Amino acid sequence: KKLLIKAKSQVPENFVLYDDGIFIDIKYDDALMNTKTEAGKIKYSAVGTLKGIIFDKDELARFLALKKIPNLKDYNVHGAGLENLTFKIIGKSGVDIDNNKAISFKLSGDTSIIWNFDADSLKEKLVGLSKYKYEELFKDRPMVEKVEAVLSPTWLTSFPDSIKKIEVIVEE
């Protein structure tokens, strides 16, 4: 149990380790087995090795996005709740973690894949653009559910000529 807690605390920040992706090997020191101490307790020594399969969360999110929308060109995404997915290695008992180059697994559950959005880049494209043309910037972005432009005063027909006067609000 200590080994598992220690290993999970050492997983890098942007990575995920699933329980079924953990392989533990415990070796006992036979020389100390069944050696009784003065208090009548049995003393033994064990050394444990834990190896785990970890996934970079951004790479995993890109993989899932590609599976869901194969023709999409922009996979600059991140995932929310990836650690809550169910990860199951197929045929785990036959897997040699040190020698297998490929491992089959099933990943299931609900998660959100969120496209990383560059608001500054959008602002640059909006500078001086007609308010009737801004939606064209999103025609190749099926991941964008809704775009709304609010120009003030309402009679303006184009976006401001200064990037400093454009505000972009992103809702996830």
Side-chain angles (χ1 to χ4, degrees), residues 5 30 34 39 57 64 78 80 96 99 118-119 149 156 158 163:
I5 292 168
D30 291 337
N34 298 323
K57 289 180 180 180
L64 294 172
H78 66 278
D96 179 352
N99 296 313
D118 185 355
L156 289 176
S158 63
I163 197 170

Side-chain angles (χ1 to χ4, degrees), residues 1-70:
K1 188 174 180 177
K2 287 181 186 180
L3 188 61
L4 187 59
I5 292 168
K6 184 176 179 183
K8 285 189 174 189
S9 73
Q10 293 177 355
V11 174
E13 186 175 326
N14 198 43
F15 285 76
V16 61
L17 170 65
Y18 295 104
D19 289 344
D20 201 48
I22 295 172
F23 296 81
I24 298 175
D25 182 31
I26 298 176
K27 299 203 184 310
Y28 296 95
D29 186 347
D30 291 337
L32 293 175
M33 293 298 275
N34 298 323
T35 305
K36 291 193 177 184
T37 64
E38 293 144 17
K41 296 181 180 179
I42 296 177
K43 180 179 176 183
Y44 70 93
S45 177
V47 175
T49 303
L50 184 144
K51 295 179 183 179
I53 301 169
I54 60 173
F55 292 92
D56 179 302
K57 289 180 180 180
D58 293 334
E59 290 296 322
L60 183 57
R62 277 191 278 283
F63 172 80
L64 294 172
L66 179 62
K67 285 292 184 188
K68 191 72 175 167
I69 310 173

Side-chain angles (χ1 to χ4, degrees), residues 9-161:
S9 73
Q10 293 177 355
V11 174
E13 186 175 326
N14 198 43
F15 285 76
V16 61
L17 170 65
Y18 295 104
D19 289 344
D20 201 48
I22 295 172
F23 296 81
I24 298 175
D25 182 31
I26 298 176
K27 299 203 184 310
Y28 296 95
D29 186 347
D30 291 337
L32 293 175
M33 293 298 275
N34 298 323
T35 305
K36 291 193 177 184
T37 64
E38 293 144 17
K41 296 181 180 179
I42 296 177
K43 180 179 176 183
Y44 70 93
S45 177
V47 175
T49 303
L50 184 144
K51 295 179 183 179
I53 301 169
I54 60 173
F55 292 92
D56 179 302
K57 289 180 180 180
D58 293 334
E59 290 296 322
L60 183 57
R62 277 191 278 283
F63 172 80
L64 294 172
L66 179 62
K67 285 292 184 188
K68 191 72 175 167
I69 310 173
N71 297 326
L72 191 65
K73 293 180 178 127
D74 179 9
Y75 292 103
N76 184 13
V77 297
H78 66 278
L82 292 172
E83 57 281 342
N84 297 325
L85 294 174
T86 301
F87 174 84
K88 184 77 175 154
I89 294 178
I90 299 169
K92 185 174 182 176
S93 62
V95 171
D96 179 352
I97 191 71
D98 292 320
N99 296 313
N100 284 87
K101 295 197 189 276
I103 296 172
S104 297
F105 62 89
K106 180 180 179 183
L107 196 59
S108 60
D110 294 326
T111 190
S112 295
I113 303 299
I114 303 159
W115 268 257
N116 297 325
F117 184 73
D118 185 355
D120 291 334
S121 174
L122 176 61
K123 287 179 185 182
E124 289 173 9
K125 291 175 183 174
L126 290 172
V127 169
L129 185 70
S130 166
K131 74 176 182 180
Y132 304 106
K133 293 186 177 183
Y134 79 93
E135 289 178 330
E136 291 176 17
L137 297 174
F138 301 95
K139 67 181 178 190
D140 294 332
R141 307 249 180 224
M143 72 292 280
V144 176
E145 292 179 7
K146 179 182 174 187
V147 178
E148 181 180 1
V150 179
L151 299 176
S152 181
T154 57
W155 60 81
L156 289 176
T157 59
S158 63
F159 286 86
D161 290 331

